[in-house]
Amino acid sequence: MDSNYDPQAIEAKWQKRWADEKLFETEAALGRKKYYVLEMLPYPSGDIHMGHVRNYSIGDALARYMGMKGYNILHPIGWDAFGLPAENAAIKSQRHPSEFTFSYIDRMRGQLQRLGVSYDWRREIASCVPEYYRWNQWFFLKMYERGLAYRRKSRVNWCPECETVLANEQVVDGCCWRHEETRVTERELEQWYLKITAYADQLLDDMKELVRWPERVLTMQKNWIGKSLGTFVDFTVSGLWKPLRIFTTRVDTIFGCTAVFLAPEHPLVEELVASSKEPTRLREDVERIKSSAVRARVELNLDKLGVDSGFTARNPYNGEAVPIWLANFVLMEYGTGAIMAVPAHDERDYEFCSAYRLPIRTVIVPEGTDSAAWADPPLKAMVEYGRLVASGPYSGLSSAEAMERMTGDAEAKGFGEGTIQYRIKDWGISRQRYWGTPIPMVYCDACGIVPVAEKDLPVILPPNVKLTGRGHSPLADVPEFVHTTCPKCAKPARRETDTMDTFVDSSWYFYRYTDPKIATAPINKDVVKYWFPVDQYIGGIEHAILHLIYMRFFTKVMRDIGLVEFSEPVARLFTQGMVIKDGAKMSKSKGNVVDPTEMFAKYGADTTRIYMLFAAPPEKDLDWSDAGIEGAARFVNRVYRLVAKHAGKLEGVRAGKLRAKDKAALTAEERRLLRKAHQTLRHVTEDMEERWHFNTDIAISMELVNDLTDLEAAVAAGKIRPAAHRTALEFLVTILSLFAPHVADELWEGLGHAEPLLKVSWPAFDAELAAEDELELPVQVNGKLRARIRVAASASEEEIRTRALAEEKVIQHLSGRQVVKVIVVPQKLVSIVVK
RNA sequence: GCGAAAGUGGCGGAAUUGGCAGACGCGCCAGACUUAGGAUCUGGUCCCGCAAGGGGUGGGGGUUCGAGUCCCCCCUUUCGCACCA
């Protein structure tokens, strides 16, 4: 074989061979154990970036390892192909978004193929084609049938940059998740919603199945769902017949309620203003409070502002009338938009009531406290549970007992009830944009809102459209799209002109891979049954509460409509770290982007992958270093030269398993080499099963290369015979095939093998050969290292003790002192304690 | 503010179960080969010290024969949540 390493030629050669031999093509095979490796599908933005390279290198290492372990591997890829960037580019250049999208897909497909990932490209999908998005529409109709898709008018998040609505999940720190600098504003709009809240409890409960998901992701989802148990309590308002309902999780503190706070947007506010003695002043105050309300601001910890409405509310538990205030920190969208203020036992209420000099009254004391000794008013809010005081008939109860009794009493007397509140809101999916899935609904003057008939799907996105980016649905300007007939009464009607959030597309795409072309249903149930669940999903943490919660929701709906028989689609999730450079996330605006294709051209895909996996463990952020990739290139070169140099001479030599008598006949050098080779294989095998610290796998492979280099002289002198030498080289190349598959196959071929490594079984390490036969044990005297002794690995404790105590350095440190204790830890060390 | 993770040489990182801290790589230093070296190879490289020795995993305390690892307090960084009543 060529003595010079030429990555460009080698990588092209093997990519062609793999494709010609259909090496990555796979089919469901009942009875054969399967493994589904899934990586998050990319948005076709034009070029792959280092984050993709990292994500797909991790997935490929796993897919190749599991493949060599004998699993039937499903390893697909596709394109999250609808979305705003293409549409925005289209607006600028007055071309069609599909032009950008498909040319970007072609480009990025080429780049991924250049990376040599083991994808079954026949399964590639793109979400922007009607064959795919018709099933988004189908799911929508199924949800509509079940009341899980509905339309309502509400205040929504609006990104001025995207010119469209955002779901709550897509608002980060008051800004758009795509435009970190762009403040989200509010609009009142009619929107379609998917009722994810109907599954809130299941999304929580089923987390117990997700034992192989990172705790961090589960915690984030838990917080996002934000389930809390509490009580509704109806206060009566002075001068109004309608009760005011508040929500609290601490009804046990209600005797300490000294005010009621309303969100400035609360519907009652209008009535209060109308019947106020000073309506003008009150309205002005309300507007002032509103403008400082929580939702409208990004920076937090602003002062709490409030205004006294002049009205009072009567606490049904003790009949006390307390003032009603409007407060800027009360959220309309959580609970009822009205709360009881218990300053003694809530920090926010404490802050507010102190500022406005509202009374503060202690009604809970810590267990075991003498209530008479309790400072009242307190110096700060006591928010813990405790025992009730000054709470009428409930005094003396614990918080837990009181909450139960008091909620029960409210229900019995009709002024309240127990309730469960969630932070999660229904998923608003309407987008006032073009490049997405049309929502398959029709508005008929006679019949109202009518779903498109299933047989009439897909509702095709019309190709001829003028994109202006001016904040309303572009489809509304396409008369031939808008004008249709009512599916029910056949009279003229109008189509919905909003499109779906693209997170709908990615909520079920991984099912489609299992039978990507099926035209009669979104998925092929039988094939899904074989491949699911996804055994390993790999992607970035940034999707922890967006995609990863929507996806779980979709699966539960799919289960309920009979498509699948399980509740959770992904058994194991791995979240990789980001690729950063100079301490910052790579981005065009920061100008610190490293282009993978340049790295492929300069070093090859194998070296780029090796560097990506070597520089840090995969879950941690990886700091890009130009010098680092040079080191990876050096390593790949060394391996290449080392194997290429010997490949010819090893032709015809077999590297079989060694039997006991073969082992006994090994030379010392052979033992040393085989020990290292089997240790390396053991490390990598164990690591691939669980830990995935590819950086250490590559490091130990480097050690093997170092040993092989050290032993070159022994090879030349015949002290290492070809069979042992071949074994070590083959282990090295086999391991390398997980991380640098092209050069590995080239070297494997050079060693005389006809089949690519992916068709070879992963070798088993020999624990006996991997074992050390002599160990160097440290000897400590009073915790300080004083000597090292070499002993046989099989040495008894007594032998080790004797050897250690006989060591000259040890004797020096023992002189004049008394040995108190000698601790011998076999295989580890000797620790001598003296006085 | 609350919650989580992390903090180890000049740098990326290793130490998987409480047992030799710094594997492996980068960088640096010295040398070899060379017309040349930004190729390749060899050796060295935690700190102080000529050495013996001493010190050392963010800081302080503790448990232990023994702590990067376990416990307590503090500091810093990153991430998540941030008026969710």
Short mmCIF file of all heavy atoms in Angstrom, two decimals, chain A residues 187-218:
data_model
loop_
_atom_site.label_atom_id
_atom_site.label_comp_id
_atom_site.label_asym_id
_atom_site.label_seq_id
_atom_site.Cartn_x
_atom_site.Cartn_y
_atom_site.Cartn_z
N ARG A 187 -49.45 40.62 20.85
CA ARG A 187 -50.56 40.92 19.95
C ARG A 187 -51.75 40.09 20.36
O ARG A 187 -51.61 39.01 20.91
CB ARG A 187 -50.20 40.59 18.50
CG ARG A 187 -49.26 41.58 17.90
CD ARG A 187 -49.28 41.51 16.40
NE ARG A 187 -48.33 42.48 15.90
CZ ARG A 187 -48.13 42.73 14.62
NH1 ARG A 187 -48.81 42.07 13.71
NH2 ARG A 187 -47.27 43.64 14.24
N GLU A 188 -52.89 40.59 19.99
CA GLU A 188 -54.13 39.86 20.25
C GLU A 188 -54.50 39.20 18.93
O GLU A 188 -54.74 39.88 17.94
CB GLU A 188 -55.19 40.88 20.69
CG GLU A 188 -56.46 40.27 21.18
CD GLU A 188 -56.49 40.07 22.69
OE1 GLU A 188 -55.50 40.40 23.37
OE2 GLU A 188 -57.49 39.58 23.17
N LEU A 189 -54.49 37.88 18.89
CA LEU A 189 -54.73 37.20 17.62
C LEU A 189 -55.55 35.93 17.82
O LEU A 189 -55.51 35.31 18.87
CB LEU A 189 -53.40 36.79 16.98
CG LEU A 189 -52.57 37.85 16.26
CD1 LEU A 189 -51.27 37.23 15.81
CD2 LEU A 189 -53.33 38.44 15.09
N GLU A 190 -56.24 35.56 16.76
CA GLU A 190 -56.90 34.25 16.70
C GLU A 190 -55.84 33.24 16.31
O GLU A 190 -55.15 33.41 15.31
CB GLU A 190 -57.99 34.26 15.61
CG GLU A 190 -59.22 35.05 15.97
CD GLU A 190 -60.31 34.17 16.55
OE1 GLU A 190 -60.33 32.97 16.26
OE2 GLU A 190 -61.14 34.70 17.32
N GLN A 191 -55.74 32.19 17.09
CA GLN A 191 -54.66 31.24 16.86
C GLN A 191 -55.16 29.81 17.01
O GLN A 191 -56.07 29.56 17.79
CB GLN A 191 -53.57 31.45 17.93
CG GLN A 191 -52.89 32.77 17.85
CD GLN A 191 -51.87 32.79 16.76
OE1 GLN A 191 -50.85 32.13 16.85
NE2 GLN A 191 -52.16 33.51 15.70
N TRP A 192 -54.46 28.91 16.33
CA TRP A 192 -54.71 27.49 16.57
C TRP A 192 -53.77 26.98 17.66
O TRP A 192 -52.60 27.33 17.68
CB TRP A 192 -54.49 26.68 15.29
CG TRP A 192 -55.63 26.85 14.34
CD1 TRP A 192 -55.68 27.69 13.26
CD2 TRP A 192 -56.89 26.19 14.39
NE1 TRP A 192 -56.90 27.59 12.64
CE2 TRP A 192 -57.66 26.66 13.32
CE3 TRP A 192 -57.45 25.23 15.25
CZ2 TRP A 192 -58.96 26.22 13.08
CZ3 TRP A 192 -58.75 24.80 15.00
CH2 TRP A 192 -59.49 25.28 13.93
N TYR A 193 -54.36 26.18 18.53
CA TYR A 193 -53.58 25.63 19.65
C TYR A 193 -53.66 24.11 19.65
O TYR A 193 -54.71 23.55 19.30
CB TYR A 193 -54.12 26.15 20.98
CG TYR A 193 -53.80 27.59 21.21
CD1 TYR A 193 -54.64 28.59 20.72
CD2 TYR A 193 -52.63 27.97 21.88
CE1 TYR A 193 -54.33 29.93 20.90
CE2 TYR A 193 -52.32 29.30 22.07
CZ TYR A 193 -53.17 30.27 21.58
OH TYR A 193 -52.86 31.59 21.75
N LEU A 194 -52.58 23.47 20.08
CA LEU A 194 -52.62 22.04 20.35
C LEU A 194 -52.65 21.87 21.87
O LEU A 194 -51.89 22.52 22.59
CB LEU A 194 -51.40 21.33 19.76
CG LEU A 194 -51.27 21.42 18.23
CD1 LEU A 194 -50.09 20.58 17.76
CD2 LEU A 194 -52.56 20.97 17.54
N LYS A 195 -53.53 21.01 22.31
CA LYS A 195 -53.82 20.93 23.74
C LYS A 195 -52.81 20.06 24.48
O LYS A 195 -53.15 18.99 25.00
CB LYS A 195 -55.23 20.36 23.91
CG LYS A 195 -55.93 20.86 25.14
CD LYS A 195 -57.37 20.45 25.08
CE LYS A 195 -58.24 21.13 26.10
NZ LYS A 195 -59.66 20.82 25.85
N ILE A 196 -51.59 20.54 24.54
CA ILE A 196 -50.55 19.78 25.23
C ILE A 196 -50.86 19.70 26.73
O ILE A 196 -50.45 18.77 27.41
CB ILE A 196 -49.15 20.40 24.95
CG1 ILE A 196 -48.03 19.46 25.39
CG2 ILE A 196 -49.01 21.77 25.61
CD1 ILE A 196 -46.65 19.89 24.93
N THR A 197 -51.65 20.68 27.21
CA THR A 197 -51.98 20.67 28.65
C THR A 197 -52.79 19.43 29.03
O THR A 197 -52.74 18.99 30.17
CB THR A 197 -52.79 21.92 29.05
OG1 THR A 197 -53.93 22.00 28.19
CG2 THR A 197 -51.97 23.18 28.91
N ALA A 198 -53.51 18.87 28.06
CA ALA A 198 -54.28 17.67 28.37
C ALA A 198 -53.35 16.51 28.73
O ALA A 198 -53.78 15.53 29.32
CB ALA A 198 -55.16 17.28 27.18
N TYR A 199 -52.09 16.63 28.33
CA TYR A 199 -51.13 15.57 28.60
C TYR A 199 -50.11 15.96 29.66
O TYR A 199 -49.11 15.27 29.86
CB TYR A 199 -50.41 15.19 27.30
CG TYR A 199 -51.32 14.42 26.35
CD1 TYR A 199 -52.16 15.08 25.48
CD2 TYR A 199 -51.32 13.03 26.38
CE1 TYR A 199 -53.01 14.39 24.63
CE2 TYR A 199 -52.16 12.32 25.53
CZ TYR A 199 -53.00 13.00 24.66
OH TYR A 199 -53.83 12.30 23.83
N ALA A 200 -50.36 17.07 30.34
CA ALA A 200 -49.38 17.58 31.31
C ALA A 200 -49.04 16.51 32.35
O ALA A 200 -47.87 16.26 32.63
CB ALA A 200 -49.90 18.84 31.98
N ASP A 201 -50.07 15.88 32.89
CA ASP A 201 -49.80 14.88 33.91
C ASP A 201 -49.05 13.68 33.37
O ASP A 201 -48.14 13.16 34.01
CB ASP A 201 -51.12 14.41 34.55
CG ASP A 201 -51.52 15.32 35.70
OD1 ASP A 201 -50.63 15.69 36.49
OD2 ASP A 201 -52.71 15.68 35.79
N GLN A 202 -49.42 13.25 32.16
CA GLN A 202 -48.70 12.12 31.57
C GLN A 202 -47.26 12.48 31.26
O GLN A 202 -46.36 11.67 31.41
CB GLN A 202 -49.38 11.69 30.28
CG GLN A 202 -50.69 11.00 30.50
CD GLN A 202 -51.24 10.48 29.19
OE1 GLN A 202 -50.51 9.95 28.36
NE2 GLN A 202 -52.53 10.65 29.00
N LEU A 203 -47.07 13.71 30.80
CA LEU A 203 -45.69 14.13 30.49
C LEU A 203 -44.85 14.10 31.76
O LEU A 203 -43.66 13.80 31.73
CB LEU A 203 -45.69 15.53 29.88
CG LEU A 203 -46.19 15.59 28.43
CD1 LEU A 203 -46.49 17.03 28.00
CD2 LEU A 203 -45.18 14.95 27.47
N LEU A 204 -45.49 14.39 32.88
CA LEU A 204 -44.78 14.31 34.17
C LEU A 204 -44.61 12.86 34.61
O LEU A 204 -43.51 12.41 34.91
CB LEU A 204 -45.57 15.05 35.24
CG LEU A 204 -45.38 16.55 35.35
CD1 LEU A 204 -46.32 17.09 36.42
CD2 LEU A 204 -43.94 16.89 35.69
N ASP A 205 -45.71 12.13 34.63
CA ASP A 205 -45.68 10.77 35.18
C ASP A 205 -44.75 9.86 34.37
O ASP A 205 -44.05 9.04 34.94
CB ASP A 205 -47.09 10.17 35.17
CG ASP A 205 -48.01 10.90 36.14
OD1 ASP A 205 -47.49 11.64 36.99
OD2 ASP A 205 -49.24 10.73 36.04
N ASP A 206 -44.80 9.99 33.05
CA ASP A 206 -44.01 9.07 32.22
C ASP A 206 -42.51 9.33 32.31
O ASP A 206 -41.71 8.55 31.79
CB ASP A 206 -44.48 9.14 30.77
CG ASP A 206 -45.88 8.54 30.60
OD1 ASP A 206 -46.32 7.84 31.54
OD2 ASP A 206 -46.51 8.76 29.56
N MET A 207 -42.15 10.41 32.97
CA MET A 207 -40.72 10.65 33.16
C MET A 207 -40.06 9.50 33.91
O MET A 207 -38.86 9.30 33.80
CB MET A 207 -40.49 11.94 33.94
CG MET A 207 -40.66 13.16 33.07
SD MET A 207 -40.21 14.63 33.98
CE MET A 207 -40.88 15.86 32.86
N LYS A 208 -40.86 8.75 34.64
CA LYS A 208 -40.26 7.62 35.35
C LYS A 208 -39.74 6.56 34.37
O LYS A 208 -38.90 5.74 34.73
CB LYS A 208 -41.25 7.03 36.36
CG LYS A 208 -42.48 6.42 35.78
CD LYS A 208 -43.37 5.89 36.91
CE LYS A 208 -44.63 5.21 36.40
NZ LYS A 208 -45.56 6.12 35.69
N GLU A 209 -40.23 6.58 33.14
CA GLU A 209 -39.68 5.67 32.13
C GLU A 209 -38.36 6.18 31.56
O GLU A 209 -37.64 5.45 30.90
CB GLU A 209 -40.66 5.52 30.95
CG GLU A 209 -41.92 4.74 31.29
CD GLU A 209 -42.80 4.56 30.06
OE1 GLU A 209 -42.27 4.41 28.95
OE2 GLU A 209 -44.04 4.58 30.23
N LEU A 210 -38.11 7.46 31.78
CA LEU A 210 -36.95 8.09 31.12
C LEU A 210 -35.73 8.05 32.00
O LEU A 210 -35.06 9.06 32.23
CB LEU A 210 -37.30 9.53 30.71
CG LEU A 210 -38.56 9.65 29.84
CD1 LEU A 210 -38.81 11.10 29.47
CD2 LEU A 210 -38.44 8.79 28.58
N VAL A 211 -35.43 6.87 32.51
CA VAL A 211 -34.31 6.74 33.44
C VAL A 211 -32.97 6.99 32.76
O VAL A 211 -31.98 7.29 33.42
CB VAL A 211 -34.29 5.34 34.11
CG1 VAL A 211 -35.44 5.21 35.07
CG2 VAL A 211 -34.35 4.24 33.06
N ARG A 212 -32.95 6.88 31.44
CA ARG A 212 -31.70 7.08 30.73
C ARG A 212 -31.64 8.47 30.09
O ARG A 212 -30.88 8.69 29.15
CB ARG A 212 -31.52 6.02 29.65
CG ARG A 212 -31.58 4.63 30.20
CD ARG A 212 -30.29 4.27 30.90
NE ARG A 212 -29.74 3.05 30.35
CZ ARG A 212 -28.43 2.79 30.32
NH1 ARG A 212 -27.56 3.63 30.80
NH2 ARG A 212 -28.01 1.66 29.82
N TRP A 213 -32.45 9.37 30.59
CA TRP A 213 -32.38 10.75 30.13
C TRP A 213 -31.59 11.56 31.15
O TRP A 213 -31.66 11.27 32.35
CB TRP A 213 -33.78 11.35 29.99
CG TRP A 213 -34.51 10.98 28.75
CD1 TRP A 213 -34.55 9.73 28.18
CD2 TRP A 213 -35.30 11.83 27.93
NE1 TRP A 213 -35.33 9.78 27.06
CE2 TRP A 213 -35.81 11.05 26.88
CE3 TRP A 213 -35.65 13.18 27.99
CZ2 TRP A 213 -36.62 11.58 25.88
CZ3 TRP A 213 -36.47 13.71 27.00
CH2 TRP A 213 -36.94 12.91 25.96
N PRO A 214 -30.89 12.58 30.69
CA PRO A 214 -30.17 13.41 31.66
C PRO A 214 -31.14 14.06 32.65
O PRO A 214 -32.18 14.58 32.26
CB PRO A 214 -29.50 14.49 30.79
CG PRO A 214 -29.50 13.95 29.41
CD PRO A 214 -30.68 13.03 29.31
N GLU A 215 -30.76 14.01 33.91
CA GLU A 215 -31.56 14.58 34.97
C GLU A 215 -31.91 16.04 34.67
O GLU A 215 -33.01 16.51 34.92
CB GLU A 215 -30.76 14.49 36.27
CG GLU A 215 -31.57 14.47 37.53
CD GLU A 215 -32.76 13.54 37.51
OE1 GLU A 215 -32.56 12.33 37.22
OE2 GLU A 215 -33.89 14.01 37.77
N ARG A 216 -30.93 16.72 34.10
CA ARG A 216 -31.08 18.14 33.80
C ARG A 216 -32.27 18.41 32.88
O ARG A 216 -33.03 19.34 33.08
CB ARG A 216 -29.79 18.59 33.11
CG ARG A 216 -29.55 20.05 33.05
CD ARG A 216 -28.05 20.33 33.03
NE ARG A 216 -27.43 19.99 31.78
CZ ARG A 216 -27.03 20.90 30.87
NH1 ARG A 216 -27.23 22.17 31.11
NH2 ARG A 216 -26.45 20.52 29.77
N VAL A 217 -32.39 17.57 31.86
CA VAL A 217 -33.48 17.76 30.90
C VAL A 217 -34.82 17.48 31.58
O VAL A 217 -35.79 18.23 31.41
CB VAL A 217 -33.29 16.82 29.69
CG1 VAL A 217 -34.51 16.88 28.78
CG2 VAL A 217 -32.03 17.19 28.93
N LEU A 218 -34.87 16.45 32.38
CA LEU A 218 -36.12 16.12 33.06
C LEU A 218 -36.51 17.23 34.03
O LEU A 218 -37.69 17.59 34.13
CB LEU A 218 -35.98 14.78 33.81
CG LEU A 218 -35.72 13.56 32.91
CD1 LEU A 218 -35.61 12.30 33.75
CD2 LEU A 218 -36.80 13.39 31.86
#
